Amino acid sequence: MNSYELALQVRDCIQKTLTEWSSKIGQDINQETLEVLECSVAQAIEKINPEERDELKVSAKLFIVGSNSPSIRDAVDLACSALGVAQLDSVIIAPPPIEDGTNLSLAYLQPYWQELENLVQNKKIVAIGTSDLDKTLLEQLYLWAQVKPSSNQVNLASCCVMPPDLTAFAKQRDIQLLTHNDPKELLCEASFQEVLQDSIQNVKASEWIPLWLLRYSVIVKSRGIIKSKGYIMQAKRNAS
């Protein structure tokens, strides 16, 4: 699946969930005072049986849409609650795109990484990883961080072969290099508002801002197959 198809898949998932949820709720929504929507379809997420937990790996990739590092805790807490687990085995973070076009820097990453480190220390996450860091930035993060990155995702659409310097550094520091084909923005504000407008009657879509999108996978360790996967997201109402 290419990056365009992935973005369409996300839109489709959000639209189906919102449409089904709003059809059940009907008009019992006060649009003027509402600040948080808890939109879920009960049968869409299968909670993990505690007896099977040791046999499963629960991993997630977190796409930050709004520049708000504390959102990371909300995302992890909601994912754990939805899946019925105490902690996630791994979380990879994709920081929000930088609007002015400047390069990603360690200073920009630090608040997000610190939130992840807190969650590791509080035993909500076992291992944390990064996405799309070159060798220089990965090394800077590794040397600064208290909890070291265990993995780094590389987008093969932008580089067909793993850069040799990145490969050498990752091997030296025991960092797993993974590949992905996610777009830089899996869900943008305009796309979310368009889906919201189409899904819920009379909603003031322009007032709602997406904060984050989390994609999770539940993998059977012994067989390496995906048992379940899905998306969880959060948005806030920003009425003036």
Side-chain angles (χ1 to χ4, degrees):
M1 188 177 294
N2 61 37
S3 59
Y4 176 73
E5 290 170 334
L6 283 168
L8 285 180
Q9 182 187 68
V10 170
R11 282 181 56 113
D12 186 53
C13 288
I14 294 172
Q15 185 152 23
K16 284 181 179 178
T17 300
L18 288 172
T19 301
E20 185 170 343
W21 175 82
S22 62
S23 68
K24 292 179 180 178
I25 299 300
Q27 297 300 316
D28 299 333
I29 305 175
N30 188 333
Q31 300 281 356
E32 300 302 321
T33 61
L34 192 64
E35 292 185 3
V36 176
L37 282 178
E38 292 285 347
C39 306
S40 61
V41 181
Q43 66 271 24
I45 296 182
E46 179 184 352
K47 286 189 180 291
I48 292 172
N49 185 335
E51 296 179 358
E52 299 179 348
R53 180 64 182 93
D54 290 343
E55 303 169 10
L56 304 172
K57 179 181 179 181
V58 184
S59 60
K61 184 171 183 179
L62 178 59
F63 301 85
I64 304 294
V65 183
S67 300
N68 185 2
S69 55
S71 295
I72 294 173
R73 175 172 290 278
D74 292 338
V76 171
D77 285 344
L78 277 173
C80 287
S81 176
L83 294 168
V85 297
Q87 66 179 189
L88 304 180
D89 294 299
S90 69
V91 173
I92 289 174
I93 186 168
I98 302 176
E99 294 181 1
D100 60 10
T102 58
N103 292 328
L104 194 63
S105 67
L106 178 61
Y108 188 73
L109 280 174
Q110 283 172 332
Y112 301 99
W113 197 258
Q114 286 174 326
E115 282 296 314
L116 287 173
E117 289 182 325
N118 289 337
L119 290 167
V120 171
Q121 290 159 3
N122 292 330
K123 301 189 185 303
K124 297 291 289 185
I125 306 174
V126 178
I128 50 180
T130 59
S131 181
D132 299 318
L133 301 194
D134 59 17
K135 185 264 181 182
T136 300
L137 190 49
L138 182 61
E139 183 175 17
Q140 290 174 353
L141 176 64
Y142 186 92
L143 294 174
W144 167 82
Q146 292 184 9
V147 180
K148 308 300 183 183
S150 64
S151 61
N152 179 49
Q153 282 192 335
V154 178
N155 191 331
L156 289 186
S158 58
C159 75
C160 298
V161 179
M162 289 284 186
D165 61 341
L166 178 62
T167 302
F169 176 76
K171 183 177 181 180
Q172 179 186 14
R173 300 296 187 178
D174 196 25
I175 299 172
Q176 185 179 16
L177 291 182
L178 308 169
T179 61
H180 77 93
N181 60 347
D182 296 317
K184 287 188 176 181
E185 278 191 295
L186 192 55
L187 177 69
C188 66
E189 184 177 309
S191 179
F192 172 72
Q193 290 174 350
E194 183 180 330
V195 171
L196 187 62
Q197 190 71 58
D198 292 342
S199 305
I200 302 179
Q201 287 187 354
N202 304 318
V203 70
K204 296 178 180 178
S206 60
E207 296 181 351
W208 288 89
I209 310 297
L211 297 179
W212 52 262
L213 175 74
L214 180 143
R215 183 177 63 214
Y216 69 86
S217 299
V218 180
I219 301 168
V220 181
K221 293 178 183 177
S222 61
R223 301 166 64 189
I225 61 171
I226 297 176
K227 183 179 182 184
S228 65
K229 60 181 179 179
Y231 297 96
I232 301 171
M233 72 160 295
Q234 187 177 68
K236 70 174 181 178
R237 184 169 179 255
N238 192 24
S240 55

